Amino acid sequence: MSDRRCAAFLGTRKLAEGPLAEVALAVQAAAAGAAAPLLVFEEASGRVIDLDLRGTPAELRARLEAPRGKGRPKLGVTSREVTLLPRHWDWLAAQPGGASVTLRKLVEQARRDPVQQRRAAQEAAYRFLSAIAGDLPGFEEASRALFAHDREALEERMAAWPGDVAAHALRLLDAAPDR
């Protein structure tokens, strides 16, 4: 099963959170009688995910758990295009292990950087808030507080918002170290 974690909201109420397949099944079950919009968010990025909810629950689960094809799916490796200048390719080719190993090491090093992690958590919280709370009172002020790293002001601006929205935004923000 995919370990991609997601959260589903029915309007401003959290419907489910957890692995993608489990959240998708909850969304599929709720979709028929949904009186409010159903949105699914990837927790790592805060982005809205579109789900293909067709078929039975078993078919949906099988589709989400199927290997992806290209690359080395058992390891989670995906092949994509990278465009670099010749001098960059030359440098990568001279590194031990070649281009792929070197790029993976550089990415992992950047992912461990606390500044990068805090920025990614901040961006995820902003994407989530933009999609679900963009029309709530105080959204602009909350956004400014978020990017000013003013937690107290952010919580104050979100105090009148639905509890699930504010709590999820803060949880995304707290995913960064040193918070």
Side-chain angles (χ1 to χ4, degrees), residues 48-65:
V48 174
I49 302 172
D50 288 328
L51 295 175
D52 177 0
L53 299 174
R54 293 175 297 152
T56 66
E59 292 168 337
L60 175 58
R61 181 182 292 277
R63 226 180 9 259
L64 291 172
E65 294 176 347

mmCIF file with all atom_site columns, all heavy atoms in Angstrom, residues 48-65:
data_model
loop_
_atom_site.group_PDB
_atom_site.id
_atom_site.type_symbol
_atom_site.label_atom_id
_atom_site.label_alt_id
_atom_site.label_comp_id
_atom_site.label_asym_id
_atom_site.label_entity_id
_atom_site.label_seq_id
_atom_site.pdbx_PDB_ins_code
_atom_site.Cartn_x
_atom_site.Cartn_y
_atom_site.Cartn_z
_atom_site.occupancy
_atom_site.B_iso_or_equiv
_atom_site.pdbx_formal_charge
_atom_site.auth_seq_id
_atom_site.auth_comp_id
_atom_site.auth_asym_id
_atom_site.auth_atom_id
_atom_site.pdbx_PDB_model_num
ATOM 1   N N   . VAL A 1 48 ? -3.863  19.835 -3.313  1.00 0.00 ? 48 VAL A N   1
ATOM 2   C CA  . VAL A 1 48 ? -5.096  19.098 -3.536  1.00 0.00 ? 48 VAL A CA  1
ATOM 3   C C   . VAL A 1 48 ? -4.795  17.961 -4.506  1.00 0.00 ? 48 VAL A C   1
ATOM 4   O O   . VAL A 1 48 ? -4.087  18.149 -5.499  1.00 0.00 ? 48 VAL A O   1
ATOM 5   C CB  . VAL A 1 48 ? -6.198  20.014 -4.109  1.00 0.00 ? 48 VAL A CB  1
ATOM 6   C CG1 . VAL A 1 48 ? -7.440  19.215 -4.467  1.00 0.00 ? 48 VAL A CG1 1
ATOM 7   C CG2 . VAL A 1 48 ? -6.547  21.114 -3.122  1.00 0.00 ? 48 VAL A CG2 1
ATOM 8   N N   . ILE A 1 49 ? -5.337  16.794 -4.216  1.00 0.00 ? 49 ILE A N   1
ATOM 9   C CA  . ILE A 1 49 ? -5.154  15.616 -5.055  1.00 0.00 ? 49 ILE A CA  1
ATOM 10  C C   . ILE A 1 49 ? -6.493  15.288 -5.710  1.00 0.00 ? 49 ILE A C   1
ATOM 11  O O   . ILE A 1 49 ? -7.526  15.266 -5.034  1.00 0.00 ? 49 ILE A O   1
ATOM 12  C CB  . ILE A 1 49 ? -4.735  14.386 -4.223  1.00 0.00 ? 49 ILE A CB  1
ATOM 13  C CG1 . ILE A 1 49 ? -3.464  14.650 -3.458  1.00 0.00 ? 49 ILE A CG1 1
ATOM 14  C CG2 . ILE A 1 49 ? -4.589  13.161 -5.095  1.00 0.00 ? 49 ILE A CG2 1
ATOM 15  C CD1 . ILE A 1 49 ? -3.137  13.541 -2.479  1.00 0.00 ? 49 ILE A CD1 1
ATOM 16  N N   . ASP A 1 50 ? -6.465  15.014 -6.991  1.00 0.00 ? 50 ASP A N   1
ATOM 17  C CA  . ASP A 1 50 ? -7.654  14.522 -7.687  1.00 0.00 ? 50 ASP A CA  1
ATOM 18  C C   . ASP A 1 50 ? -7.642  13.002 -7.624  1.00 0.00 ? 50 ASP A C   1
ATOM 19  O O   . ASP A 1 50 ? -6.632  12.369 -7.929  1.00 0.00 ? 50 ASP A O   1
ATOM 20  C CB  . ASP A 1 50 ? -7.650  14.969 -9.147  1.00 0.00 ? 50 ASP A CB  1
ATOM 21  C CG  . ASP A 1 50 ? -7.915  16.442 -9.301  1.00 0.00 ? 50 ASP A CG  1
ATOM 22  O OD1 . ASP A 1 50 ? -8.662  16.999 -8.474  1.00 0.00 ? 50 ASP A OD1 1
ATOM 23  O OD2 . ASP A 1 50 ? -7.377  17.052 -10.241 1.00 0.00 ? 50 ASP A OD2 1
ATOM 24  N N   . LEU A 1 51 ? -8.759  12.440 -7.228  1.00 0.00 ? 51 LEU A N   1
ATOM 25  C CA  . LEU A 1 51 ? -8.866  10.991 -7.132  1.00 0.00 ? 51 LEU A CA  1
ATOM 26  C C   . LEU A 1 51 ? -9.888  10.468 -8.130  1.00 0.00 ? 51 LEU A C   1
ATOM 27  O O   . LEU A 1 51 ? -10.938 11.066 -8.311  1.00 0.00 ? 51 LEU A O   1
ATOM 28  C CB  . LEU A 1 51 ? -9.301  10.570 -5.720  1.00 0.00 ? 51 LEU A CB  1
ATOM 29  C CG  . LEU A 1 51 ? -8.339  10.861 -4.585  1.00 0.00 ? 51 LEU A CG  1
ATOM 30  C CD1 . LEU A 1 51 ? -8.980  10.483 -3.246  1.00 0.00 ? 51 LEU A CD1 1
ATOM 31  C CD2 . LEU A 1 51 ? -7.047  10.095 -4.778  1.00 0.00 ? 51 LEU A CD2 1
ATOM 32  N N   . ASP A 1 52 ? -9.573  9.351  -8.735  1.00 0.00 ? 52 ASP A N   1
ATOM 33  C CA  . ASP A 1 52 ? -10.504 8.635  -9.601  1.00 0.00 ? 52 ASP A CA  1
ATOM 34  C C   . ASP A 1 52 ? -11.251 7.670  -8.693  1.00 0.00 ? 52 ASP A C   1
ATOM 35  O O   . ASP A 1 52 ? -10.707 6.654  -8.275  1.00 0.00 ? 52 ASP A O   1
ATOM 36  C CB  . ASP A 1 52 ? -9.723  7.902  -10.688 1.00 0.00 ? 52 ASP A CB  1
ATOM 37  C CG  . ASP A 1 52 ? -10.618 7.073  -11.595 1.00 0.00 ? 52 ASP A CG  1
ATOM 38  O OD1 . ASP A 1 52 ? -11.854 7.067  -11.395 1.00 0.00 ? 52 ASP A OD1 1
ATOM 39  O OD2 . ASP A 1 52 ? -10.073 6.417  -12.502 1.00 0.00 ? 52 ASP A OD2 1
ATOM 40  N N   . LEU A 1 53 ? -12.493 7.997  -8.372  1.00 0.00 ? 53 LEU A N   1
ATOM 41  C CA  . LEU A 1 53 ? -13.267 7.217  -7.401  1.00 0.00 ? 53 LEU A CA  1
ATOM 42  C C   . LEU A 1 53 ? -14.163 6.175  -8.061  1.00 0.00 ? 53 LEU A C   1
ATOM 43  O O   . LEU A 1 53 ? -15.003 5.576  -7.388  1.00 0.00 ? 53 LEU A O   1
ATOM 44  C CB  . LEU A 1 53 ? -14.113 8.157  -6.542  1.00 0.00 ? 53 LEU A CB  1
ATOM 45  C CG  . LEU A 1 53 ? -13.340 9.172  -5.714  1.00 0.00 ? 53 LEU A CG  1
ATOM 46  C CD1 . LEU A 1 53 ? -14.295 10.136 -5.024  1.00 0.00 ? 53 LEU A CD1 1
ATOM 47  C CD2 . LEU A 1 53 ? -12.433 8.492  -4.712  1.00 0.00 ? 53 LEU A CD2 1
ATOM 48  N N   . ARG A 1 54 ? -13.999 5.950  -9.358  1.00 0.00 ? 54 ARG A N   1
ATOM 49  C CA  . ARG A 1 54 ? -14.851 4.986  -10.067 1.00 0.00 ? 54 ARG A CA  1
ATOM 50  C C   . ARG A 1 54 ? -14.627 3.569  -9.550  1.00 0.00 ? 54 ARG A C   1
ATOM 51  O O   . ARG A 1 54 ? -13.566 3.239  -9.054  1.00 0.00 ? 54 ARG A O   1
ATOM 52  C CB  . ARG A 1 54 ? -14.544 4.995  -11.568 1.00 0.00 ? 54 ARG A CB  1
ATOM 53  C CG  . ARG A 1 54 ? -14.915 6.285  -12.259 1.00 0.00 ? 54 ARG A CG  1
ATOM 54  C CD  . ARG A 1 54 ? -14.483 6.263  -13.697 1.00 0.00 ? 54 ARG A CD  1
ATOM 55  N NE  . ARG A 1 54 ? -13.018 6.157  -13.717 1.00 0.00 ? 54 ARG A NE  1
ATOM 56  C CZ  . ARG A 1 54 ? -12.332 5.603  -14.693 1.00 0.00 ? 54 ARG A CZ  1
ATOM 57  N NH1 . ARG A 1 54 ? -12.930 5.090  -15.733 1.00 0.00 ? 54 ARG A NH1 1
ATOM 58  N NH2 . ARG A 1 54 ? -11.015 5.542  -14.645 1.00 0.00 ? 54 ARG A NH2 1
ATOM 59  N N   . GLY A 1 55 ? -15.674 2.759  -9.717  1.00 0.00 ? 55 GLY A N   1
ATOM 60  C CA  . GLY A 1 55 ? -15.574 1.339  -9.396  1.00 0.00 ? 55 GLY A CA  1
ATOM 61  C C   . GLY A 1 55 ? -15.929 1.021  -7.964  1.00 0.00 ? 55 GLY A C   1
ATOM 62  O O   . GLY A 1 55 ? -16.340 1.878  -7.180  1.00 0.00 ? 55 GLY A O   1
ATOM 63  N N   . THR A 1 56 ? -15.756 -0.234 -7.643  1.00 0.00 ? 56 THR A N   1
ATOM 64  C CA  . THR A 1 56 ? -16.043 -0.716 -6.297  1.00 0.00 ? 56 THR A CA  1
ATOM 65  C C   . THR A 1 56 ? -14.903 -0.315 -5.367  1.00 0.00 ? 56 THR A C   1
ATOM 66  O O   . THR A 1 56 ? -13.805 0.033  -5.832  1.00 0.00 ? 56 THR A O   1
ATOM 67  C CB  . THR A 1 56 ? -16.171 -2.260 -6.298  1.00 0.00 ? 56 THR A CB  1
ATOM 68  O OG1 . THR A 1 56 ? -14.878 -2.797 -6.615  1.00 0.00 ? 56 THR A OG1 1
ATOM 69  C CG2 . THR A 1 56 ? -17.216 -2.738 -7.293  1.00 0.00 ? 56 THR A CG2 1
ATOM 70  N N   . PRO A 1 57 ? -15.111 -0.398 -4.070  1.00 0.00 ? 57 PRO A N   1
ATOM 71  C CA  . PRO A 1 57 ? -14.008 -0.135 -3.144  1.00 0.00 ? 57 PRO A CA  1
ATOM 72  C C   . PRO A 1 57 ? -12.789 -1.017 -3.422  1.00 0.00 ? 57 PRO A C   1
ATOM 73  O O   . PRO A 1 57 ? -11.652 -0.550 -3.354  1.00 0.00 ? 57 PRO A O   1
ATOM 74  C CB  . PRO A 1 57 ? -14.617 -0.412 -1.772  1.00 0.00 ? 57 PRO A CB  1
ATOM 75  C CG  . PRO A 1 57 ? -16.070 -0.082 -1.950  1.00 0.00 ? 57 PRO A CG  1
ATOM 76  C CD  . PRO A 1 57 ? -16.396 -0.552 -3.347  1.00 0.00 ? 57 PRO A CD  1
ATOM 77  N N   . ALA A 1 58 ? -13.007 -2.278 -3.771  1.00 0.00 ? 58 ALA A N   1
ATOM 78  C CA  . ALA A 1 58 ? -11.880 -3.173 -4.069  1.00 0.00 ? 58 ALA A CA  1
ATOM 79  C C   . ALA A 1 58 ? -11.131 -2.712 -5.320  1.00 0.00 ? 58 ALA A C   1
ATOM 80  O O   . ALA A 1 58 ? -9.897  -2.758 -5.363  1.00 0.00 ? 58 ALA A O   1
ATOM 81  C CB  . ALA A 1 58 ? -12.381 -4.605 -4.252  1.00 0.00 ? 58 ALA A CB  1
ATOM 82  N N   . GLU A 1 59 ? -11.866 -2.271 -6.332  1.00 0.00 ? 59 GLU A N   1
ATOM 83  C CA  . GLU A 1 59 ? -11.221 -1.782 -7.558  1.00 0.00 ? 59 GLU A CA  1
ATOM 84  C C   . GLU A 1 59 ? -10.438 -0.505 -7.282  1.00 0.00 ? 59 GLU A C   1
ATOM 85  O O   . GLU A 1 59 ? -9.336  -0.322 -7.800  1.00 0.00 ? 59 GLU A O   1
ATOM 86  C CB  . GLU A 1 59 ? -12.268 -1.544 -8.653  1.00 0.00 ? 59 GLU A CB  1
ATOM 87  C CG  . GLU A 1 59 ? -12.902 -2.808 -9.174  1.00 0.00 ? 59 GLU A CG  1
ATOM 88  C CD  . GLU A 1 59 ? -14.127 -2.556 -10.038 1.00 0.00 ? 59 GLU A CD  1
ATOM 89  O OE1 . GLU A 1 59 ? -14.772 -1.488 -9.912  1.00 0.00 ? 59 GLU A OE1 1
ATOM 90  O OE2 . GLU A 1 59 ? -14.457 -3.449 -10.839 1.00 0.00 ? 59 GLU A OE2 1
ATOM 91  N N   . LEU A 1 60 ? -11.011 0.387  -6.474  1.00 0.00 ? 60 LEU A N   1
ATOM 92  C CA  . LEU A 1 60 ? -10.331 1.632  -6.115  1.00 0.00 ? 60 LEU A CA  1
ATOM 93  C C   . LEU A 1 60 ? -9.025  1.324  -5.375  1.00 0.00 ? 60 LEU A C   1
ATOM 94  O O   . LEU A 1 60 ? -7.969  1.857  -5.701  1.00 0.00 ? 60 LEU A O   1
ATOM 95  C CB  . LEU A 1 60 ? -11.239 2.510  -5.255  1.00 0.00 ? 60 LEU A CB  1
ATOM 96  C CG  . LEU A 1 60 ? -10.635 3.788  -4.693  1.00 0.00 ? 60 LEU A CG  1
ATOM 97  C CD1 . LEU A 1 60 ? -10.122 4.694  -5.810  1.00 0.00 ? 60 LEU A CD1 1
ATOM 98  C CD2 . LEU A 1 60 ? -11.646 4.517  -3.834  1.00 0.00 ? 60 LEU A CD2 1
ATOM 99  N N   . ARG A 1 61 ? -9.092  0.437  -4.398  1.00 0.00 ? 61 ARG A N   1
ATOM 100 C CA  . ARG A 1 61 ? -7.897  0.071  -3.625  1.00 0.00 ? 61 ARG A CA  1
ATOM 101 C C   . ARG A 1 61 ? -6.841  -0.542 -4.550  1.00 0.00 ? 61 ARG A C   1
ATOM 102 O O   . ARG A 1 61 ? -5.665  -0.196 -4.472  1.00 0.00 ? 61 ARG A O   1
ATOM 103 C CB  . ARG A 1 61 ? -8.241  -0.902 -2.504  1.00 0.00 ? 61 ARG A CB  1
ATOM 104 C CG  . ARG A 1 61 ? -7.030  -1.275 -1.662  1.00 0.00 ? 61 ARG A CG  1
ATOM 105 C CD  . ARG A 1 61 ? -7.377  -2.284 -0.583  1.00 0.00 ? 61 ARG A CD  1
ATOM 106 N NE  . ARG A 1 61 ? -8.243  -1.766 0.444   1.00 0.00 ? 61 ARG A NE  1
ATOM 107 C CZ  . ARG A 1 61 ? -7.826  -1.054 1.490   1.00 0.00 ? 61 ARG A CZ  1
ATOM 108 N NH1 . ARG A 1 61 ? -6.556  -0.750 1.623   1.00 0.00 ? 61 ARG A NH1 1
ATOM 109 N NH2 . ARG A 1 61 ? -8.686  -0.641 2.394   1.00 0.00 ? 61 ARG A NH2 1
ATOM 110 N N   . ALA A 1 62 ? -7.258  -1.429 -5.438  1.00 0.00 ? 62 ALA A N   1
ATOM 111 C CA  . ALA A 1 62 ? -6.313  -2.083 -6.356  1.00 0.00 ? 62 ALA A CA  1
ATOM 112 C C   . ALA A 1 62 ? -5.638  -1.051 -7.264  1.00 0.00 ? 62 ALA A C   1
ATOM 113 O O   . ALA A 1 62 ? -4.435  -1.139 -7.510  1.00 0.00 ? 62 ALA A O   1
ATOM 114 C CB  . ALA A 1 62 ? -7.044  -3.130 -7.194  1.00 0.00 ? 62 ALA A CB  1
ATOM 115 N N   . ARG A 1 63 ? -6.392  -0.079 -7.749  1.00 0.00 ? 63 ARG A N   1
ATOM 116 C CA  . ARG A 1 63 ? -5.827  0.959  -8.610  1.00 0.00 ? 63 ARG A CA  1
ATOM 117 C C   . ARG A 1 63 ? -4.787  1.786  -7.866  1.00 0.00 ? 63 ARG A C   1
ATOM 118 O O   . ARG A 1 63 ? -3.739  2.120  -8.402  1.00 0.00 ? 63 ARG A O   1
ATOM 119 C CB  . ARG A 1 63 ? -6.959  1.882  -9.104  1.00 0.00 ? 63 ARG A CB  1
ATOM 120 C CG  . ARG A 1 63 ? -6.918  2.173  -10.538 1.00 0.00 ? 63 ARG A CG  1
ATOM 121 C CD  . ARG A 1 63 ? -8.001  3.078  -11.067 1.00 0.00 ? 63 ARG A CD  1
ATOM 122 N NE  . ARG A 1 63 ? -8.886  3.762  -10.171 1.00 0.00 ? 63 ARG A NE  1
ATOM 123 C CZ  . ARG A 1 63 ? -10.136 3.381  -9.895  1.00 0.00 ? 63 ARG A CZ  1
ATOM 124 N NH1 . ARG A 1 63 ? -10.638 2.290  -10.433 1.00 0.00 ? 63 ARG A NH1 1
ATOM 125 N NH2 . ARG A 1 63 ? -10.889 4.098  -9.087  1.00 0.00 ? 63 ARG A NH2 1
ATOM 126 N N   . LEU A 1 64 ? -5.069  2.118  -6.620  1.00 0.00 ? 64 LEU A N   1
ATOM 127 C CA  . LEU A 1 64 ? -4.154  2.960  -5.839  1.00 0.00 ? 64 LEU A CA  1
ATOM 128 C C   . LEU A 1 64 ? -2.928  2.199  -5.356  1.00 0.00 ? 64 LEU A C   1
ATOM 129 O O   . LEU A 1 64 ? -1.892  2.806  -5.106  1.00 0.00 ? 64 LEU A O   1
ATOM 130 C CB  . LEU A 1 64 ? -4.894  3.579  -4.656  1.00 0.00 ? 64 LEU A CB  1
ATOM 131 C CG  . LEU A 1 64 ? -5.934  4.622  -5.037  1.00 0.00 ? 64 LEU A CG  1
ATOM 132 C CD1 . LEU A 1 64 ? -6.748  5.024  -3.819  1.00 0.00 ? 64 LEU A CD1 1
ATOM 133 C CD2 . LEU A 1 64 ? -5.285  5.829  -5.679  1.00 0.00 ? 64 LEU A CD2 1
ATOM 134 N N   . GLU A 1 65 ? -3.050  0.893  -5.215  1.00 0.00 ? 65 GLU A N   1
ATOM 135 C CA  . GLU A 1 65 ? -1.935  0.098  -4.719  1.00 0.00 ? 65 GLU A CA  1
ATOM 136 C C   . GLU A 1 65 ? -1.111  -0.536 -5.830  1.00 0.00 ? 65 GLU A C   1
ATOM 137 O O   . GLU A 1 65 ? -0.096  -1.156 -5.559  1.00 0.00 ? 65 GLU A O   1
ATOM 138 C CB  . GLU A 1 65 ? -2.451  -0.971 -3.765  1.00 0.00 ? 65 GLU A CB  1
ATOM 139 C CG  . GLU A 1 65 ? -3.029  -0.372 -2.495  1.00 0.00 ? 65 GLU A CG  1
ATOM 140 C CD  . GLU A 1 65 ? -3.644  -1.407 -1.575  1.00 0.00 ? 65 GLU A CD  1
ATOM 141 O OE1 . GLU A 1 65 ? -3.856  -2.558 -2.010  1.00 0.00 ? 65 GLU A OE1 1
ATOM 142 O OE2 . GLU A 1 65 ? -3.912  -1.061 -0.420  1.00 0.00 ? 65 GLU A OE2 1
#
